[in-house]
Amino acid sequence: PVDAILLYGVPTVGLQVWAAARRFDVPVFFRSIDVLHRLVPHPFLVTPTKLLEQFVYKRVRAITCVTYHLKKYVESFGVPEERIEVLPSGVDRDMFSPGAPNHELMARWQIAPSHRLILFMGTVYTFSGLDQVIRDFPALLARHPNARLLIVGEGDDTDRLKALCREIGVRDEVVFTGLQPYELLPDFIRSADVCINPFELNSITRDILPTKLFQYLSCAKPVLATELPGTLPFLSGEEQG
């Protein structure tokens, strides 16, 4: 028997899960990590998704949000404040911990110990900001020829970014690994000199708290990140790591 359901999605399974849970009298708890209607790819789906959000949020037992901004967003649907809590993303500090670079792993992508490595890890969204990083990379290479940008992950923008690398002549200096096993992520971070999260500041990213920031910092790596309002209550500056 199921005692409770932890729900993450609304547009795809939210209504179905709520209906099934109601039939069998199982409480549903929602985990809010994004403003979901802003993520849908087609404009005509934005309003239906927002209506689904309102329906589900008002009917689940309780909601945990990763940021205070998302808490205010959920409250805007008329959800009572006492049913909403802020629970930031966590990180396994035994797994994500300081350590030596994994040169054998890096050699799979022709990255040598002499290279200065910049790491982006996670889903490659169109708002990842990586296009601007890539456009600026020739200027960085002019000063630091041994620099490399390692993009660990996959997403909707991967093909466009690869084409951009070919267009501006940095195909060998910007490395795409594709999806990688989760257990290898600490080794990627430990092998980097600096880790980045250059998300564009927009209606999607404004309220979120990327988990990768905690994973980077837990491995004691320098981090360069866009100042996202949702992030500031938890990581406001150098004093947080």
Side-chain angles (χ1 to χ4, degrees), residues 107-120:
R108 297 182 191 176
W109 291 279
Q110 292 74 53
I111 295 174
S114 59
H115 287 132
R116 303 305 304 271
L117 191 59
I118 304 165
L119 173 70
F120 174 89

Side-chain angles (χ1 to χ4, degrees), residues 104-239:
E104 183 179 351
L105 176 64
M106 294 298 101
R108 297 182 191 176
W109 291 279
Q110 292 74 53
I111 295 174
S114 59
H115 287 132
R116 303 305 304 271
L117 191 59
I118 304 165
L119 173 70
F120 174 89
M121 186 178 77
T123 305
V124 183
Y125 296 110
T126 56
F127 53 77
S128 66
L130 289 170
D131 53 350
Q132 189 60 54
V133 174
I134 291 170
R135 291 183 192 280
D136 291 341
F137 216 66
L140 177 66
L141 289 169
R143 300 194 304 273
H144 305 284
N146 62 341
R148 295 293 183 270
L149 172 61
L150 186 64
I151 299 174
V152 179
E154 191 68 63
D156 295 340
D157 212 28
T158 301
D159 290 341
R160 184 179 73 93
L161 294 178
K162 288 181 178 179
L164 179 61
C165 290
R166 293 192 294 270
E167 176 187 331
I168 64 175
V170 294
R171 182 171 57 180
D172 295 332
E173 290 80 13
V174 179
V175 182
F176 294 82
T177 72
L179 291 175
Q180 295 297 314
Y182 188 76
E183 60 270 18
L184 289 181
L185 298 186
D187 280 327
F188 281 106
I189 299 174
R190 292 169 187 147
S191 301
D193 293 291
V194 62
C195 300
I196 63 172
N197 185 62
F199 279 3
E200 297 175 5
L201 180 57
N202 59 29
S203 61
I204 296 173
T205 63
R206 184 173 55 224
D207 300 328
I208 65 174
L209 179 62
T211 304
K212 65 171 69 68
L213 295 177
F214 293 124
Q215 293 168 338
Y216 292 160
L217 291 170
S218 190
C219 292
K221 289 297 177 178
V223 176
L224 181 64
T226 307
E227 191 177 72
L228 304 177
T231 300
L232 291 179
F234 308 98
L235 297 171
S236 62
E238 189 174 348
E239 63 273 16

